[in-house]
């Protein structure tokens, strides 16, 4: 599915990611962990085409997409939910969803499917997105991404600043998308318990390099915590 090979990237002349390799197979959940400043968001921005590689390459289904623009990567099945529970605050929840669905094949059905995954949004369809809680906005952001029909969903800190019950709902949705729908998911997360429970495999970044990697699951928590102390 997705292969990141010896990637180097950054901002201007400042290199942030140094020789990182990450693999996401079809239908798998892969978590990338690390402290603030480790390079996690920079890695995702390169994957979705917001940053150009200085070296290395990124392939999707065997195709080198390193030079493709973000909209071209979306057309190949990527969807990106950036950090910060983003939505159009002046629009209603339904208008936010419809904005993505308009012009897409089976757009109405895709909105319904997204709401089935996040039923807490149904009573809020007429509410302005700017009046939602952080957890509700995060669910809306993920629902919007799912309307594009991705095969690879990329999430940046989906649990940041939201209440524990919503964290559990998002985790359940991630597992459902992977196990039932066969969707691949690349997840950046600092919440170790959440990240490892949901993941088939993990990578720990430290100063722009992979310092540890392995199989997911709660049994990996000690290794991850040790790697994050380095």
């Amino acid at each position: 599915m997705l292969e990141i090979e010896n990637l180097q990237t950054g901002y201007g002349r400042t290199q942030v990611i140094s020789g990182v390799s990450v693999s996401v197979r079809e239908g798998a959940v892969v978590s990338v962990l690390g402290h603030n400043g480790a390079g996690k968001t920079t890695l995702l921005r390169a994957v979705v085409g917001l940053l150009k590689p200085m070296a290395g390459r990124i392939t999707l289904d065997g195709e080198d997409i390193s030079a493709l623009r973000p909209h071209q990567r979306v057309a190949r099945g990527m969807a990106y939910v950036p950090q910060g529970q983003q939505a159009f605050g002046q629009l209603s929840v339904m208008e936010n969803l419809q904005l993505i669905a308009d012009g897409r094949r089976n757009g109405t059905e895709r909105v319904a499917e997204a709401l089935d995954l996040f039923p807490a949004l149904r009573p809020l369809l007429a509410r302005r997105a700017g009046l939602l809680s952080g957890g509700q906005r995060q669910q809306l952001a993920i629902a919007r991404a799912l309307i594009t029909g991705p095969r690879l969903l990329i999430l940046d800190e989906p649990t940041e600043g939201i209440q524990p019950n919503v964290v559990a709902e998002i985790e359940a949705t991630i597992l459902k998308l992977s196990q039932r729908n066969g969707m691949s998911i690349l997840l950046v997360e600092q919440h170790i318990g959440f990240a490892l429970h949901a993941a088939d495999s993990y990578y720990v970044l430290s100063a722009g390099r992979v310092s540890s990697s392995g199989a997911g699951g709660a049994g990996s928590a000690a290794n991850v915590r040790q790697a994050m102390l380095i």
Side-chain angles (χ1 to χ4, degrees), residues 90-110:
Q90 297 302 313
L91 300 181
S92 71
V93 169
M94 189 61 190
E95 288 169 336
N96 267 272
L97 297 172
Q98 199 62 51
L99 190 65
I100 306 301
D102 283 348
R104 296 186 183 276
R105 185 178 179 182
N106 302 323
T108 300
E109 290 83 355
R110 290 186 180 186

Side-chain angles (χ1 to χ4, degrees), residues 144-168:
R144 281 162 44 93
L146 293 175
I147 290 172
T148 68
R151 294 180 299 113
L152 172 64
L153 179 63
I154 300 171
L155 302 170
D156 191 357
E157 301 279 11
T159 71
E160 182 185 38
I162 62 177
Q163 55 270 42
N165 64 311
V166 179
V167 171

Side-chain angles (χ1 to χ4, degrees), residues 51-73:
L51 288 176
K52 293 182 178 180
M54 298 172 176
R57 69 174 189 160
I58 302 167
T59 61
L60 184 67
D61 294 329
E63 177 191 5
D64 190 337
I65 62 170
S66 305
L68 295 186
R69 294 183 177 182
H71 73 274
Q72 294 172 310
R73 303 187 195 203

Side-chain angles (χ1 to χ4, degrees), residues 122-161:
R122 287 191 182 277
L124 306 171
L125 291 177
R127 184 174 299 181
R128 281 171 44 191
L131 300 178
L132 299 178
S133 69
Q136 291 164 344
R137 285 198 305 273
Q138 187 62 280
Q139 291 180 81
L140 176 58
I142 298 173
R144 281 162 44 93
L146 293 175
I147 290 172
T148 68
R151 294 180 299 113
L152 172 64
L153 179 63
I154 300 171
L155 302 170
D156 191 357
E157 301 279 11
T159 71
E160 182 185 38

Side-chain angles (χ1 to χ4, degrees), residues 5-67:
E5 304 173 42
N6 297 313
L7 182 68
Q8 298 179 27
T9 191
Y11 304 91
R13 296 183 180 180
T14 303
Q15 185 172 313
V16 177
I17 295 294
S18 304
V20 167
S21 295
V22 171
S23 179
V24 184
R25 61 178 175 78
E26 187 171 355
V29 179
V30 175
S31 291
V32 177
L33 302 101
H35 294 298
N36 288 333
K40 305 184 303 298
T41 293
T42 300
L43 175 66
L44 295 192
R45 287 174 62 83
V47 171
V48 299
L50 297 174
L51 288 176
K52 293 182 178 180
M54 298 172 176
R57 69 174 189 160
I58 302 167
T59 61
L60 184 67
D61 294 329
E63 177 191 5
D64 190 337
I65 62 170
S66 305

